[in-house]
mmCIF file of all heavy atoms in Angstrom:
data_model
loop_
_atom_site.group_PDB
_atom_site.id
_atom_site.type_symbol
_atom_site.label_atom_id
_atom_site.label_comp_id
_atom_site.label_asym_id
_atom_site.label_seq_id
_atom_site.Cartn_x
_atom_site.Cartn_y
_atom_site.Cartn_z
ATOM 1 N N ARG C 425 -7.270 31.846 -2.712
ATOM 2 C CA ARG C 425 -8.609 32.132 -2.367
ATOM 3 C C ARG C 425 -9.128 33.393 -3.013
ATOM 4 O O ARG C 425 -8.378 34.456 -2.972
ATOM 5 C CB ARG C 425 -8.678 32.349 -0.770
ATOM 6 C CG ARG C 425 -8.205 31.125 0.032
ATOM 7 C CD ARG C 425 -8.303 31.492 1.462
ATOM 8 N NE ARG C 425 -7.735 30.367 2.275
ATOM 9 C CZ ARG C 425 -8.526 29.318 2.781
ATOM 10 N NH1 ARG C 425 -9.806 29.263 2.447
ATOM 11 N NH2 ARG C 425 -7.999 28.455 3.493
ATOM 12 N N GLY C 430 -14.361 28.340 4.366
ATOM 13 C CA GLY C 430 -13.630 27.337 5.034
ATOM 14 C C GLY C 430 -12.740 27.885 6.209
ATOM 15 O O GLY C 430 -13.216 28.728 7.009
ATOM 16 N N SER C 431 -11.518 27.429 6.220
ATOM 17 C CA SER C 431 -10.622 27.838 7.332
ATOM 18 C C SER C 431 -10.290 29.373 7.376
ATOM 19 O O SER C 431 -10.091 29.867 8.495
ATOM 20 C CB SER C 431 -9.315 26.992 7.299
ATOM 21 O OG SER C 431 -8.513 27.403 6.281
ATOM 22 N N ASP C 506 -12.036 28.790 -4.072
ATOM 23 C CA ASP C 506 -10.601 28.616 -3.585
ATOM 24 C C ASP C 506 -10.113 27.238 -4.051
ATOM 25 O O ASP C 506 -10.893 26.408 -4.570
ATOM 26 C CB ASP C 506 -10.423 28.773 -2.043
ATOM 27 C CG ASP C 506 -11.355 27.876 -1.250
ATOM 28 O OD1 ASP C 506 -11.634 26.670 -1.776
ATOM 29 O OD2 ASP C 506 -11.725 28.214 -0.130
ATOM 30 N N LYS C 508 -6.602 24.116 -3.698
ATOM 31 C CA LYS C 508 -5.246 23.804 -3.179
ATOM 32 C C LYS C 508 -4.545 23.048 -4.281
ATOM 33 O O LYS C 508 -5.062 22.140 -4.982
ATOM 34 C CB LYS C 508 -5.484 22.828 -1.987
ATOM 35 C CG LYS C 508 -4.255 22.400 -1.225
ATOM 36 C CD LYS C 508 -3.602 21.097 -1.847
ATOM 37 C CE LYS C 508 -4.506 19.922 -1.746
ATOM 38 N NZ LYS C 508 -3.735 18.727 -2.317
ATOM 39 N N THR C 529 -10.252 19.052 -4.177
ATOM 40 C CA THR C 529 -9.211 19.995 -3.857
ATOM 41 C C THR C 529 -9.538 21.489 -4.077
ATOM 42 O O THR C 529 -8.732 22.387 -4.005
ATOM 43 C CB THR C 529 -7.896 19.670 -4.581
ATOM 44 O OG1 THR C 529 -8.157 19.775 -5.934
ATOM 45 C CG2 THR C 529 -7.439 18.306 -4.238
ATOM 46 N N CYS C 530 -10.891 21.690 -4.584
ATOM 47 C CA CYS C 530 -11.251 23.057 -4.884
ATOM 48 C C CYS C 530 -12.602 23.254 -4.305
ATOM 49 O O CYS C 530 -13.391 22.277 -3.985
ATOM 50 C CB CYS C 530 -11.505 23.237 -6.440
ATOM 51 S SG CYS C 530 -10.084 22.833 -7.444
ATOM 52 N N ARG C 531 -13.008 24.556 -4.094
ATOM 53 C CA ARG C 531 -14.451 24.837 -3.831
ATOM 54 C C ARG C 531 -15.038 25.357 -5.084
ATOM 55 O O ARG C 531 -14.475 26.405 -5.685
ATOM 56 C CB ARG C 531 -14.574 25.840 -2.678
ATOM 57 C CG ARG C 531 -14.286 25.266 -1.287
ATOM 58 C CD ARG C 531 -14.736 26.080 -0.128
ATOM 59 N NE ARG C 531 -14.552 25.302 1.082
ATOM 60 C CZ ARG C 531 -13.536 25.428 1.881
ATOM 61 N NH1 ARG C 531 -12.570 26.228 1.573
ATOM 62 N NH2 ARG C 531 -13.472 24.656 3.003
ATOM 63 N N ARG C 547 -17.673 16.801 3.590
ATOM 64 C CA ARG C 547 -17.110 17.372 4.896
ATOM 65 C C ARG C 547 -18.219 17.797 5.791
ATOM 66 O O ARG C 547 -18.131 17.535 7.031
ATOM 67 C CB ARG C 547 -16.150 18.551 4.632
ATOM 68 C CG ARG C 547 -14.917 18.314 3.922
ATOM 69 C CD ARG C 547 -13.927 19.491 3.792
ATOM 70 N NE ARG C 547 -12.889 19.379 2.965
ATOM 71 C CZ ARG C 547 -12.801 19.796 1.681
ATOM 72 N NH1 ARG C 547 -13.754 20.578 1.265
ATOM 73 N NH2 ARG C 547 -11.707 19.641 0.957
HETATM 74 P P1 LIG U 417 -9.707 25.335 3.826
HETATM 75 O O1 LIG U 417 -10.597 26.475 3.705
HETATM 76 O O2 LIG U 417 -10.252 24.136 4.653
HETATM 77 O O3 LIG U 417 -8.275 25.731 4.332
HETATM 78 O O4 LIG U 417 -9.453 24.780 2.388
HETATM 79 C C1 LIG U 417 -8.946 25.572 1.323
HETATM 80 C C2 LIG U 417 -8.883 24.754 0.046
HETATM 81 O O5 LIG U 417 -8.068 23.767 0.000
HETATM 82 C C3 LIG U 417 -10.294 24.192 -0.368
HETATM 83 O O6 LIG U 417 -10.536 24.362 -1.714
HETATM 84 C C4 LIG U 417 -10.202 22.700 -0.028
HETATM 85 C C5 LIG U 417 -8.714 22.444 -0.195
HETATM 86 N N1 LIG U 417 -8.126 21.529 0.748
HETATM 87 C C6 LIG U 417 -7.538 20.357 0.237
HETATM 88 O O7 LIG U 417 -7.452 20.221 -0.939
HETATM 89 N N2 LIG U 417 -6.982 19.465 1.072
HETATM 90 C C7 LIG U 417 -7.111 19.710 2.463
HETATM 91 O O8 LIG U 417 -6.550 18.892 3.268
HETATM 92 C C8 LIG U 417 -7.749 20.850 2.950
HETATM 93 C C9 LIG U 417 -7.864 21.125 4.433
HETATM 94 C C10 LIG U 417 -8.265 21.677 2.049
#
Side-chain angles (χ1 to χ4, degrees):
R425 301 178 185 271
S431 69
D506 57 31
K508 183 270 299 178
T529 62
C530 304
R531 287 195 171 94
R547 295 188 188 99

